[in-house]
Amino acid sequence: LQGRTAIFDFRLDTYGGQDLFLDDITVFQGCRLNLRVKLDGALRQRDRADERCIARGLADPASEPYSTSGYVFTGEGGGEVIGSGVLSVTGTNAIVDWVAIEVRDATDPAKVITSRAALLQRDGDVVDLDGVSLVRIGVPAGNYHIAIRHRGHLGAMSASPVALSQSMPLFDLSLASTAAWGTNARKIDGATALLWAGDALGNGDIKYTGAGNDRDAVLLAIGGVIPTNTVSGYRREDCNMDGVVKYTGAANDRDLILLNIGGVLPTAVRSQQLP
Ligand SMILES: [Ca+2]
Ligand SMILES: [Ca+2]
Ligand SMILES: [Ca+2]
């Protein structure tokens, strides 16, 4: 159990669907995050009849991939390991991938108070390591900004502080009607809002040309020379999250980068809207 703790005698608690019977048990005293978010790159999150989504396995790494790719957790996060059997779940609650959640200061939203990795279900629910429960985080109940990041996407944050508690109402960043911090922070698709895909370098912008662009990252991932090469696996350069990095041809990852900077002007840049 994570977060702020207190000692009780003869206390029964439930975690991950299992009852815990102990004379002395450490009872969780933090908040349970009730969050939703959807990814532009994850086709399975866009209600498309796409066989790649069905056929593809789920998030490969059993451990959170952020620590090893340059993201620095604040506070309790880092080193999260997925629960056993979680990856075999199918349907709307199937796990799509890892996300990183940041609890930020209500008045200074640039300040991350604590962050941790969590799992994202196909229907947008952000869940704990058992693939089912609300995400536990060790902050006292109160108002905080909530930011959610995904490798390969631009992260987004609540426009206003959100009241966190052990029983907070759903904060749904996947709804276009839920305000996000900044301007065009998410990709609006009807009533749905998606995190922008195409940050193949994971450096907070989507860039098609010029220094540090994401298109070259895709090309480099497939070897850097032959544009028709592909490479399979769990990679940030796989912008459309179909398990294959592809630079040209049908369902390539380069086109999504161009599309998401506006689709016309290759020098346009889309920046992550996080303070
Ligand atoms: Ca769900
Ligand atoms: Ca980038
Ligand atoms: Ca791909």
Side-chain angles (χ1 to χ4, degrees):
L1 302 184
Q2 297 176 340
R4 287 159 56 94
T5 57
I7 303 300
F8 289 83
D9 282 331
F10 308 110
R11 171 73 189 226
L12 166 68
D13 198 15
T14 306
Y15 184 61
Q18 292 193 324
D19 290 333
L20 304 174
F21 297 93
L22 291 172
D23 283 351
D24 291 312
I25 186 168
T26 305
V27 178
F28 180 72
Q29 296 280 290
C31 294
R32 289 180 167 86
L33 302 181
N34 191 1
L35 308 175
R36 273 192 156 209
V37 70
K38 288 193 175 182
L39 304 177
D40 178 24
L43 297 177
R44 66 172 67 209
Q45 292 208 298
R46 311 193 70 182
D47 299 323
R48 290 181 183 169
D50 188 318
E51 74 279 5
R52 285 171 305 169
C53 304
I54 299 160
R56 191 186 161 208
L58 306 173
D60 272 352
S63 303
E64 58 83 11
Y66 293 97
S67 298
T68 52
S69 59
Y71 177 79
V72 179
F73 284 97
T74 303
E76 66 196 75
E80 286 87 347
V81 176
I82 200 165
S84 62
V86 172
L87 287 180
S88 61
V89 174
T90 58
T92 56
N93 293 330
I95 299 302
V96 173
D97 205 350
W98 290 93
V99 292
I101 301 170
E102 296 172 345
V103 174
R104 293 178 174 226
D105 191 87
T107 52
D108 178 11
K111 181 185 172 191
V112 178
I113 294 170
T114 189
S115 61
R116 59 158 293 184
L119 298 168
L120 177 64
Q121 292 183 344
R122 188 180 173 189
D123 61 7
D125 294 329
V126 178
V127 292
D128 216 319
L129 305 176
D130 64 356
V132 181
S133 303
L134 298 182
V135 176
R136 294 174 179 223
I137 200 147
V139 293
N143 294 324
Y144 305 90
H145 279 282
I146 294 289
I148 307 180
R149 299 173 179 264
H150 177 267
R151 56 185 258 296
H153 287 71
L154 301 184
M157 189 181 80
S158 57
S160 310
V162 177
L164 305 188
S165 68
Q166 293 237 344
S167 56
M168 67 175 280
L170 176 65
F171 176 68
D172 194 344
L173 263 181
S174 76
L175 292 179
S177 55
T178 301
W181 181 274
T183 305
N184 297 324
R186 297 159 301 164
K187 182 174 185 171
I188 304 302
D189 183 3
T192 302
L194 306 157
L195 296 190
W196 291 101
D199 186 6
L201 279 177
N203 60 351
D205 62 21
I206 301 172
K207 207 171 168 185
Y208 192 75
T209 188
N213 73 74
D214 297 293
R215 179 183 56 153
D216 281 349
V218 173
L219 185 60
L220 206 61
I222 59 159
V225 179
I226 303 166
T228 52
N229 275 355
T230 62
V231 60
S232 298
Y234 182 75
R235 300 187 61 115
R236 185 153 53 196
E237 299 90 347
D238 177 16
C239 297
N240 60 9
M241 296 180 71
D242 61 357
V244 182
V245 181
K246 203 171 170 186
Y247 188 75
T248 188
N252 69 73
D253 296 295
R254 181 184 54 158
D255 284 350
L256 193 51
I257 298 170
L258 184 60
L259 180 71
N260 281 351
I261 60 166
V264 179
L265 194 64
T267 52
V269 177
R270 184 174 298 286
S271 297
Q272 185 167 264
Q273 301 292 296
L274 290 178

